[in-house]
Amino acid sequence: MVGLLHPDIPGEALADFLVALDVRDHPTVPAAGPEMVLDAVTAHGWLRDADQPGVGAVDPTFTSHLDLGEMPPLIQDADTRFLTTEADDARPYGWQAWAEPALGAPILWAASFGSSVPHDLVAAFARAISSTAPVLRQALPESTRERLLRAPAG
């Protein structure tokens, strides 16, 4: 299950995820391990979590984050083996990605991938959010405008 928690999620990340999903014959069969997701972002200069390098990474400006861990209570997986009903039930693990322009600032966007989402699909999303390739935008988020590299279109 994929839970997109904010309308400002980068469109190219969602598109890359959907393209990766479309080309798979069996979209729920795992094709790789979680290391593939972290490799996707570190290839673009992201830093692995110093305390837990096998489960998280952050971009060099500490704005965007990616983490493999317990899912938030309101995020349920499509795989019924992982459904929880009680607050003290063991939480399933999955990937979460989010952008927070400054510590304590409102989150710009967030996405959650339940444990049934194969890691290679999460890696497609992760590659897009960590890419340093220019993207065209009609409007820039006010909270990050001064931190973005801008170039004229064309």
Side-chain angles (χ1 to χ4, degrees):
M1 177 195 159
V2 179
L4 303 177
L5 303 177
H6 200 278
D8 290 333
I9 193 161
E12 56 278 357
L14 181 56
D16 285 1
F17 175 85
L18 292 174
V19 167
L21 178 63
D22 186 52
V23 299
R24 293 190 93 218
D25 290 331
H26 304 286
T28 59
V29 176
E35 195 66 25
M36 177 184 223
V37 178
L38 295 172
D39 289 345
V41 295
T42 56
H44 292 146
W46 283 36
L47 311 167
R48 287 188 184 243
D49 185 309
D51 296 325
Q52 298 177 318
V55 298
V58 64
D59 81 287
T61 67
F62 299 96
T63 300
S64 298
H65 307 263
L66 182 68
D67 184 53
L68 176 62
E70 257 188 25
M71 298 303 291
L74 296 178
I75 302 294
Q76 295 284 346
D77 198 292
D79 187 337
T80 56
R81 294 176 297 168
F82 298 105
L83 292 178
T84 58
T85 57
E86 302 298 323
D88 59 350
D89 282 350
R91 304 288 319 147
Y93 275 67
W95 288 99
Q96 295 181 79
W98 69 96
E100 183 179 23
L103 188 59
I107 290 177
L108 291 178
W109 59 264
S112 295
F113 300 89
S115 56
S116 65
V117 177
H119 298 295
D120 61 306
L121 294 179
V122 179
F125 179 89
R127 248 185 311 284
I129 64 167
S130 64
S131 175
T132 56
V135 295
L136 186 60
R137 293 285 187 264
Q138 291 287 339
L140 301 175
E142 187 67 39
S143 59
T144 60
R145 188 169 287 155
E146 72 282 349
R147 300 174 79 187
L148 298 173
L149 296 174
R150 293 185 260 176

